[in-house]
Amino acid sequence: MAKKDQRTDAAREKDREKWMARFQVRLALQPGVDRAVVLQAVEDVTAHCADTGEHPRTAFGDPDAYAVQTAARLVPADRAARARQRNAVVDTIDSVLKKARDVSGL
């Protein structure tokens, strides 16, 4: 019986690690999010789960949705807006360069 409990615990830990990894990646992709924001969010989630014993999915739901919520809460609106604008400019330049390469056959 102890072996089954160990397998269950290992599976639960692996699932927790997957949730945290996905949350971190999705959070890092949000506009205006920097390393400090990711570290703060991971610390908050880890502390909550340690205090309550809850799995992050139980406590916070889908990691993608929670990443969006967390970014909205921790990133100032003006910084997020500037990052979105900068990303749009970079995407536009990238698109123009791609079209230029296609036209020139490079």
Side-chain angles (χ1 to χ4, degrees), residues 43-54:
E43 183 180 308
D44 292 347
V45 169
T46 302
H48 175 85
C49 292
D51 290 346
T52 64
E54 286 181 295

Side-chain angles (χ1 to χ4, degrees), residues 6-82:
Q6 287 175 350
R7 283 194 304 263
T8 302
D9 290 344
R12 182 172 165 82
E13 180 61 21
K14 184 169 182 136
D15 187 50
R16 187 194 70 74
E17 289 173 3
K18 282 183 179 180
W19 190 98
M20 289 296 288
R22 183 165 183 112
F23 170 66
Q24 289 176 54
V25 167
R26 296 299 183 177
L27 181 58
L29 293 173
Q30 297 302 308
V33 170
D34 60 10
R35 184 173 189 267
V37 170
V38 174
L39 291 174
Q40 178 63 50
V42 168
E43 183 180 308
D44 292 347
V45 169
T46 302
H48 175 85
C49 292
D51 290 346
T52 64
E54 286 181 295
H55 186 283
R57 185 174 308 281
T58 304
F60 303 105
D62 178 65
D64 297 345
Y66 190 62
V68 172
Q69 294 169 5
T70 301
R73 181 172 48 89
L74 295 178
V75 176
D78 61 328
R79 187 167 84 191
R82 282 193 310 272

